[in-house]
Amino acid sequence: MKKGLIHIYCGDGKGKTTASLGLAVRCAGRGRRVLIVQFLKSQDTGELHTLEKIPGITFLRGEESFGFYNQETNEQKEQRRTVYNKILQQAVSACREGQADLLILDEAVASYNYDLIDRALLLEFLRTKPEGLEVVLTGRGPAEELLDLADYVSEVKKVKHPYDKGIKARLGIER
């Protein structure tokens, strides 16, 4: 890959993270290095157990569990913001140092929308990212400025979801 592109997987349907992780497997399968950064997620999920075993795939995520954003106090949101900005800065530094061929910023769109990450830093990084770096952002409702920077935008649309019937996330399927 001489020119890395920017992808956004968005929409209200299930599968945005799953699509990005499929791309991570594909990329690592070709001997490339993948850095996966997760925002708004701290729980133990099935894909972590497998992906951490694949050479070339590295995860960067907060150790803290914050709960649901809309139920947090302003102080908790500020704590989250501090953690997420540290993680974003680490990812930017790693990519600028040539440590990744593919960067996945899972739930960066929502974090951007909630002002939980430094918007100026993310935009500047996307505009000036290393030439060969492929970048994926996931989340609902991407801002126009993110859409403008993207080369791919794929929308996952919910038609039906078991949660609407009260079925919670299941081990091995949703988590």
Side-chain angles (χ1 to χ4, degrees), residues 5-11 16 19-20 23 105 108-109 126 135-156:
L5 303 177
I6 298 172
H7 309 234
I8 295 177
Y9 298 133
C10 60
K16 298 175 289 293
S20 71
L23 186 58
L105 297 170
V109 171
L126 292 174
V135 179
V136 176
L137 296 93
T138 70
R140 296 173 181 223
E144 200 61 40
E145 57 269 26
L146 294 175
L147 292 172
D148 289 345
L149 291 168
D151 299 291
Y152 293 92
V153 177
S154 298
E155 183 176 9
V156 180

Side-chain angles (χ1 to χ4, degrees), residues 92-122:
V92 166
S93 293
C95 290
R96 294 231 186 267
E97 293 169 8
Q99 296 176 18
D101 301 301
L102 170 62
L103 171 64
I104 295 173
L105 297 170
D106 189 28
E107 291 297 349
V109 171
S111 298
Y112 183 94
N113 292 342
Y114 291 146
D115 200 25
L116 291 173
I117 56 176
D118 184 334
R119 291 177 179 182
L121 173 62
L122 179 60

Side-chain angles (χ1 to χ4, degrees), residues 122-133:
L122 179 60
L123 292 173
E124 180 63 21
F125 173 70
L126 292 174
R127 288 185 189 108
T128 64
K129 68 176 188 58
E131 180 73 19
L133 180 68

Side-chain angles (χ1 to χ4, degrees), residues 13-33:
K14 176 187 177 312
K16 298 175 289 293
T17 297
T18 304
S20 71
L21 298 180
L23 186 58
V25 170
R26 178 180 289 159
C27 191
R30 294 295 184 181
R32 295 199 168 105
R33 298 159 302 162

Side-chain angles (χ1 to χ4, degrees), residues 19-140:
S20 71
L21 298 180
L23 186 58
V25 170
R26 178 180 289 159
C27 191
R30 294 295 184 181
R32 295 199 168 105
R33 298 159 302 162
V34 180
L35 176 57
I36 301 170
V37 180
Q38 289 191 311
F39 303 103
L40 299 173
K41 294 178 179 175
S42 58
Q43 71 273 23
D44 178 39
T45 60
E47 65 267 19
L48 293 176
H49 297 280
T50 300
L51 293 172
E52 288 176 331
K53 295 175 186 173
I54 298 175
I57 295 182
T58 304
F59 274 89
L60 185 57
R61 60 201 313 244
E63 298 300 319
E64 300 83 353
S65 181
F66 291 102
F68 290 105
Y69 173 79
N70 60 358
Q71 297 173 355
E72 292 178 351
T73 65
N74 287 337
E75 182 179 325
Q76 290 169 318
K77 289 175 184 175
E78 191 55 42
Q79 289 172 344
R80 186 191 294 252
R81 191 174 291 112
T82 299
V83 169
Y84 287 3
N85 279 313
K86 180 180 175 188
I87 292 170
L88 179 60
Q89 289 167 350
Q90 289 174 327
V92 166
S93 293
C95 290
R96 294 231 186 267
E97 293 169 8
Q99 296 176 18
D101 301 301
L102 170 62
L103 171 64
I104 295 173
L105 297 170
D106 189 28
E107 291 297 349
V109 171
S111 298
Y112 183 94
N113 292 342
Y114 291 146
D115 200 25
L116 291 173
I117 56 176
D118 184 334
R119 291 177 179 182
L121 173 62
L122 179 60
L123 292 173
E124 180 63 21
F125 173 70
L126 292 174
R127 288 185 189 108
T128 64
K129 68 176 188 58
E131 180 73 19
L133 180 68
E134 200 84 4
V135 179
V136 176
L137 296 93
T138 70
R140 296 173 181 223

